[in-house]
Amino acid sequence: MTTSHLHKLNQFFIRKHVIFKRLVLPRCYSSDNSCPTSGAERYRDSQRHFSRRVRATRLRFSAVPNYSRVYGRHHVYFIDTNGIYRIDQRRDNSLEKLLDLERFLEKGGSGRWCVQRIRLSPQETRVAVTLKHSHEEKQRCVIISVAHESLFPSVQPRVIFTLEKVFSFEWATDDVLFYSTLDGLRSSSVFCLDFSKNGKISSVFEESKLDVFVEVALTRDQKLLTINSNSRSSSEVHVIDKENPSHQPILVQRREPDLLYHVEHWKGSLIILTNTGPGQEYQVVQASLSKPSVDSWLPLFTPHPGFTIKDMDIIEDFGVLTTRTPSHHLGLTVISLNKPDVLYFMELPSWSCTFEPKKADVRGKNNTLEFLISSPVHPPNQFCLLPEEALVLSAKDNKRYTDELNAVITSRLEARSKDDTPVPITLFHAARLEALKEAPMLVHVYGSYGRDLNMEFCPKKRLLLELGWALAFCHVRGGGESALYWHRQARVEGKRKSVDDLVACVQHLFSSGVSSSSLTALTARSAGAVPVGALCNLHPHLVKAVTLQAPFLDVLGTMADSDLPLTLEDREEWGDPVGNPEHGRIIATYCPLHNITPQRYPSMLLTAYSADSRAPLSGTVKYSEEIQKAVNSHFTLNQTSERGRKPNIVLNVQPGAHHTQEDFDLTVNEDALELAFLYKELGLDLPRPVRKKKR
């Protein structure tokens, strides 16, 4: 790669702008005292200490590569804390503000708007942007006119249209925008906004099934617009030719039970990633646009046993497949679309846990695949794949993190679950494996919806590693790490297997010489709270502390209430206790809320959001109250045998509706409280600040 090419790669790096504010401690409650902040008083000093450490760590890694910048034909668009800007690359990088987020603030309202995604029209005359509110489930799409000066010299960037409740959107032409809407937590409708017809909005697609979620997306070559209607277990895709956006959408394959597929476009034909391979696993097939249904699908590539396809990109005449090996490592499998054959396989660095390809832009460059790889403790590193040359090149700015990469050890372990199924564990540590017996350990888990455990880079996790912690990530069944069957095994009737896997992983770590019960904490968010809560009911002495964020804890009550926004969709994952009593019996055996019993539980930090409709606050409050009652009852009945202090149950209530937080200061505060909680409950001394050597 030439120096100029490397320089262009480096342009994708962005330094996140940070606003310094005074520390605002969150509202916390202990379950036995409803006074604000009473639950967190014992952590206040430690939280201030860790706030400085977390902030410094986040700033240290604020310049890591990411793909938040959008490249047009002549401009680079980027997001700042208070708006959207662009730089004119032809005019000495002159800066221009396109959108001021403060204009959308409501008088007397709380929260703020943040930018989710940016899309440029093909000729870059308009920009569409989606905004999400931090304290409410509100989304809107703002369309900005940025007509090129040579066409409209007097036109300045300005907002020309606003759409409410927009979820996904893509430009077909500079005048035609397709978008799907979000009503509550459901997306079922696709519309077309046509500026050539005075901003006329027409309906394009409507999904009637309540458990199906709809979104629009462009194929990588930007030739077709796809309307993707997906449930938890099935897919249905319609395509629209961008050259003829007024034509009716073409159905690729009607929905069939347990049939999943994702569509790309290549030279007039469809390249489809679908689970029609052996064992209902993913393979790559090809179909013509004139006969796109499953009867006409021709197999192009089926992975070898033990290999799993995670994703697919089409780069010129090549299919680039992100694959996971039998040893749980990430790699790239490149196939020729002209001659359906495997050309080569590249294993990525052993520490790689996430693979993020760069989305194609309006410039139409499609002969290389730029991508980022990272882990929870490894900052994103940028690479470029040239498929035809079987060559992967590294951006030179990756060198700044070389020493940090070398300081981390990645160990791949394997536990044996209750039914003897091997369960992968990824362990990050700085000391040698045999020296981790006295090290504190934080164990992560998810295990639902066929989704991988979040393994993206996290400054907080990096800080813990540097402070001597071991970080374990348990890839239990129900998640998507090992293959589609890994998810199928732990759905509905098999959901208890996620719990068995987690117990086996923690016990295996201890037997391998990593940490101990008194120095170990469990952490999870959302549905990951289910195996954690179940473990605490079954084996409360296995760990010392637990931190849960936006936790889902009342499985039985939620699945029995069809009026809740996600219940109908989620019954494919957890079961239907109303229509199937056996499902109710199974859920009742592991549901965290419905299995609380008087005993010594681990200390718990439960972080919930006041307007979160996915994991409602009421469920977390009820859980914390029941846990506290059980703890109090146990200590009352066992005053002579229980001589130690009672575990602390802290409910940390944050404002807002976000299931994932994007506010810098709020994130720092939450991270600092979690670290203070962990150090206090595990009986660890606060880490001493690093003193700089005098020159």
Side-chain angles (χ1 to χ4, degrees), residues 321-325 329-333 345-348 355:
L321 310 175
T322 310
T323 49
R324 197 179 294 280
T325 70
H329 288 82
L330 281 180
L332 299 178
T333 299
F345 171 78
M346 291 183 173
E347 189 167 295
L348 297 173
F355 178 92

Side-chain angles (χ1 to χ4, degrees), residues 223-238:
K223 299 293 185 183
L224 296 180
L225 182 126
T226 62
I227 300 174
N228 305 285
S229 307
N230 298 314
S231 73
R232 298 289 190 197
S233 59
S234 64
S235 305
E236 186 172 281
V237 181
H238 292 75

